[in-house]
Amino acid sequence: MNNQPAAGASASPRLRLPRKRRAKGQRIGLLYISPWILGFIVLTLVPFVASLIYSFTDYSMVREQRFVGLANYIEMFTKDPDFYQSLRVTLLYVVMAVPAKLVVALLVAMLLNRTMRGMGIYRTIYYLPSILGGSVAVSVLWRFLFMREGMVNEVLSYLSIPALNWLGDPQLALFTITLLPVWEFGSSMVLFLAGLKQVPRELYEASRVDGAGKARAFFSITLPMLTPIVLFNLIMQMINAFQQFTAAFVITDGGPTKATYLYGLMLYDNAFQFFKMGYASAQSWVLFVIILAFTLILFKTSNRWAHYEDGGDGR
Amino acid sequence: MTLKKAGFFLLLSMLGLLFLYPLLWLVSASFKPNNEIFSSIGLIPSEIVWGAYERGWEGVGRTSFGRFFTNTFVLVVPVVLMTMFSSLIVAYGFARFNFPFKKLFFALMISTLMLPDAVVMIPRYILFRNFGWLNSYLPFYAPALLAVNAFFVFLIVQFLRGIPRDLDEAAVIDGCNSFGILTRVLLPLATPALISVCIFQFIWTWNEFFTALIYINSVSKYTVALGLRMVLDNEGAVNWNQVMAMSVVTIVPCIAVFFMAQKYFVEGISTTGLKG
């Protein structure tokens, strides 16, 4: 993997410099990326390994750090009901929020995918909620929208629909939290829009000639052409959703009866409320392995459902 | 045809209103008297009350929202500038040079995009604590200075790859060294990408809550995100309009930045293919 200098020389053949000097000139690139190398080692690689080591220790920041073997993992899987509750609601949250967000994003992108004046304004409007992302203000807004005497119930009463206890009912609270990321579908929408513009128009014309309807065209042309973007969106949104924190923390603080006690909240409690750094590290590694497994499954199965223009072997 | 077109725009507008209604309602509710907030779903207050802004701005205890705003700017502005410079320099290294292990480094950098922050946050916290950096903004500055967020590096790399190398070579013939190529040739051309970086980083850092929550613990150093949550805890049960007013105040800078530069925002997402 370190035959790069030769590759570099062939990449800029017009530079008429002696071969040696060219290779040396290329090495200065290492100097340019050195801030990143330092940051990667100190702030990513070492912490990544360190958290694995911490996960085998009892580390409370006040007492001496002590090696305890698999005790943290054993406690988590056999004695900690919060862990299973948290895992359950987090999986539910991811499985609800991510596909719902992508479906809304795709539907809106298809609406906006025409060349008419004024489309830019609508794109901006639909994108607006997304820039507020994980802000506290939006979580505050959600609380006021969905509280018992909140705006949503007010609207429902106008329509003579009985009020719901959106945030107080354990059955409903997680769903209410899930609506927030769905509302912020803007970035996925922009990616879908870019993808829709790439679909060759001839395909639609050909399908019309063959007598295919709009629904048929969607399922046999549009959707297959978009699958690489769907895969990408699925993975990135899934990774984010597994780590959701702000909304659940500000809107419900994990309640009622831990119905919205997402994994991020549990990690925060164990690490920064109870200072059980070893235990929290073990939990963070379990989360990492879960996310990795989901990512690999999506990648591995994608050659069955994701369509690629060149070859179709999943690459 | 025109009827169909009008119907289409009506549909788009209705949808837009649906998506924006929560935000519009938030703004209008912040001007309503407390007892009116939930008694009408209309957007026009019966009388406009500025009191919520005045009393909300006073904040909690002795710390006003003015202080939270100053703090947030002291945090966000250096982070944005450091991110821009460090990411540009690193991206230049990746985009224009061929050095040993380049592919490995680049692959590692891209893989950090998919590494969950949760798995590095505890050792990072302990590291910064050992440095004595708790309750300061250094835990925000250091990653910005070292281009830790690969999203920005990748965004600029993609952009630089689109700039023809002929320009670099012409500059070499004119006697430019490699740093001169970066500052004199590429920097002016890469301005759109750099604006994207600044906007994204501004909005993300402005809204950052979790990191601020774990690193900042004295109220006098709170950012607006932490301040708003404190107001919610103290006033949320009674003085709704104050909390709403301060929510509006904290999102105004983001929305202003977004509208000033939304073209770059959308381009940033499209060129990297990554989410915001």
Side-chain angles (χ1 to χ4, degrees):
Chain A
M1 66 184 67
N2 55 356
N3 54 0
Q4 293 303 323
S10 64
S12 49
R14 264 167 292 175
L15 264 182
R16 298 212 168 74
L17 294 169
R19 195 185 172 82
K20 254 198 183 146
R21 207 173 134 207
R22 252 179 278 154
K24 197 171 158 239
Q26 295 294 319
R27 270 174 205 242
I28 200 171
L30 273 172
L31 187 68
Y32 285 111
I33 69 158
S34 59
W36 174 80
I37 296 178
L38 182 65
F40 173 73
I41 292 171
V42 177
L43 297 178
T44 306
L45 186 62
V46 170
F48 179 66
V49 177
S51 68
L52 182 62
I53 296 169
Y54 291 167
S55 76
F56 299 111
T57 65
D58 178 9
Y59 188 9
S60 64
M61 317 241 305
V62 280
R63 270 176 290 118
E64 189 88 345
Q65 193 173 3
R66 191 164 56 84
F67 184 76
V68 293
L70 289 171
N72 286 327
Y73 291 94
I74 293 167
E75 185 188 337
M76 194 190 322
F77 286 109
T78 59
K79 291 180 208 138
D80 190 349
D82 280 357
F83 171 72
Y84 285 105
Q85 170 64 11
S86 190
L87 198 58
R88 198 179 64 84
V89 296
T90 307
L91 285 171
L92 261 174
Y93 171 81
V94 172
V95 169
M96 287 195 294
V98 176
K101 183 179 191 162
L102 293 198
V103 167
V104 173
L106 179 56
L107 288 178
V108 175
M110 288 178 58
L111 270 182
L112 289 183
N113 183 36
R114 1 206 118 203
T115 38
M116 268 194 237
R117 287 181 64 189
M119 284 297 118
I121 299 164
Y122 288 106
R123 190 185 60 189
T124 305
I125 290 175
Y126 296 156
Y127 192 84
L128 192 60
S130 308
I131 65 157
L132 303 171
S135 74
V136 176
V138 164
S139 297
V140 168
L141 167 64
W142 230 244
R143 210 155 111 165
F144 286 124
L145 287 178
F146 288 99
M147 59 193 231
R148 215 179 234 294
E149 58 274 42
M151 199 214 56
V152 172
N153 279 341
E154 204 62 43
V155 172
L156 291 181
S157 80
Y158 268 83
L159 306 169
S160 331
I161 299 167
L164 288 168
N165 193 0
W166 294 96
L167 296 169
D169 182 347
Q171 303 284 325
L172 208 55
L174 188 67
F175 172 75
T176 310
I177 302 267
T178 308
L179 290 176
L180 179 53
V182 177
W183 181 51
E184 296 173 332
F185 59 84
S187 57
S188 303
M189 172 192 78
V190 171
L191 291 180
F192 280 134
L193 258 176
L196 285 169
K197 299 232 187 299
Q198 305 287 320
V199 181
R201 298 202 158 254
E202 303 90 77
L203 291 179
Y204 292 113
E205 278 151 27
S207 84
R208 228 188 349 262
V209 171
D210 291 348
K214 279 195 168 164
R216 182 71 201 275
F218 172 76
F219 285 106
S220 4
I221 300 171
T222 314
L223 206 53
M225 294 296 276
L226 286 179
T227 41
I229 299 174
V230 172
L231 173 69
F232 179 82
N233 268 326
L234 264 180
I235 290 174
M236 296 316 279
Q237 298 293 344
M238 184 260 311
I239 294 173
N240 279 328
F242 265 112
Q243 301 180 86
Q244 170 60 257
F245 176 79
T246 307
F249 185 75
V250 174
I251 302 174
T252 53
D253 199 9
T257 63
K258 305 222 162 173
T260 58
Y261 195 54
L262 294 182
Y263 212 99
L265 264 71
M266 177 175 64
L267 279 178
Y268 171 77
D269 278 349
N270 282 328
F272 303 107
Q273 296 294 114
F274 312 137
F275 292 101
K276 289 156 71 180
M277 292 300 186
Y279 190 59
S281 295
Q283 290 187 325
S284 76
W285 263 82
V286 170
L287 180 66
F288 171 66
V289 170
I290 292 172
I291 292 177
L292 189 67
F294 269 77
T295 309
L296 289 178
I297 290 169
L298 284 173
F299 265 124
K300 290 275 170 201
T301 59
S302 69
N303 51 13
R304 264 180 253 153
W305 57 266
H307 167 87
Y308 288 87
E309 277 292 84
D310 41 6
D313 60 345
R315 279 291 103 191
Chain B
M1 188 59 204
T2 31
L3 196 68
K4 204 178 161 193
K5 210 168 170 179
F8 177 68
F9 277 111
L10 191 67
L11 174 72
L12 283 184
S13 306
M14 298 279 280
L15 264 181
L17 188 65
L18 177 74
F19 292 134
L20 279 196
Y21 190 80
L23 288 174
L24 296 174
W25 175 79
L26 178 72
V27 174
S28 96
S30 68
F31 290 109
K32 287 177 180 173
N34 251 327
N35 56 20
E36 201 184 300
I37 290 177
F38 296 115
S39 57
S40 78
I41 57 170
L43 291 178
I44 316 288
S46 66
E47 51 167 335
I48 290 179
V49 186
W50 282 97
Y53 283 86
E54 282 164 24
R55 266 174 290 117
W57 190 260
E58 286 164 16
V60 179
R62 287 154 165 267
T63 319
S64 79
F65 254 81
R67 185 58 182 271
F68 299 147
F69 263 84
T70 316
N71 288 343
T72 311
F73 277 109
V74 170
L75 171 73
V76 171
V77 173
V79 164
V80 168
L81 294 177
M82 289 174 188
T83 306
M84 186 180 79
F85 284 114
S86 66
S87 306
L88 175 66
I89 287 170
V90 172
Y92 177 54
F94 275 123
R96 283 297 199 257
F97 298 94
N98 281 291
F99 43 83
F101 303 112
K102 176 177 153 174
K103 281 193 176 153
L104 174 72
F105 283 137
F106 195 73
L108 281 173
M109 187 191 73
I110 296 302
S111 67
T112 62
L113 284 172
M114 296 171 72
L115 184 76
D117 277 337
V119 80
V120 292
M121 102 197 150
I122 290 168
R124 255 190 214 176
Y125 175 84
I126 292 168
L127 181 76
F128 290 148
R129 182 173 155 273
N130 292 342
F131 287 169
W133 287 3
L134 293 195
N135 208 22
S136 79
Y137 303 141
L138 291 168
F140 293 86
Y141 298 156
L145 203 57
L146 298 176
V148 167
N149 194 337
F151 171 79
F152 298 116
V153 180
F154 185 55
L155 194 154
I156 303 175
V157 166
Q158 292 290 79
F159 196 88
L160 292 182
R161 279 175 177 164
I163 299 175
R165 275 173 189 255
D166 305 19
L167 295 173
D168 304 25
E169 285 158 17
V172 170
I173 290 162
D174 290 347
C176 244
N177 62 13
S178 68
F179 193 70
I181 295 173
L182 175 64
T183 54
R184 296 199 195 151
V185 181
L186 297 178
L187 183 67
L189 291 171
T191 313
L194 296 178
I195 294 176
S196 295
V197 167
C198 290
I199 302 163
F200 275 112
Q201 185 64 309
F202 178 87
I203 290 176
W204 287 348
T205 315
W206 185 275
N207 287 329
E208 177 57 58
F209 177 64
F210 182 77
T211 322
L213 183 70
I214 64 175
Y215 286 114
I216 311 294
N217 42 44
S218 66
V219 177
S220 63
K221 289 188 176 166
Y222 268 18
T223 60
V224 287
L226 294 174
L228 181 59
R229 188 176 105 82
M230 191 168 67
V231 172
L232 178 70
D233 282 354
N234 290 336
E235 310 283 346
V238 246
N239 296 316
W240 295 322
N241 57 3
Q242 279 183 39
V243 185
M244 289 176 176
M246 289 307 103
S247 301
V248 172
V249 165
T250 61
I251 60 179
V252 163
C254 291
I255 292 187
V257 165
F258 174 66
F259 273 109
M260 278 189 299
Q262 56 117 348
K263 185 180 125 210
Y264 299 101
F265 212 81
V266 170
E267 276 171 14
I269 299 172
S270 314
T271 46
T272 56
L274 288 169
K275 67 142 264 151

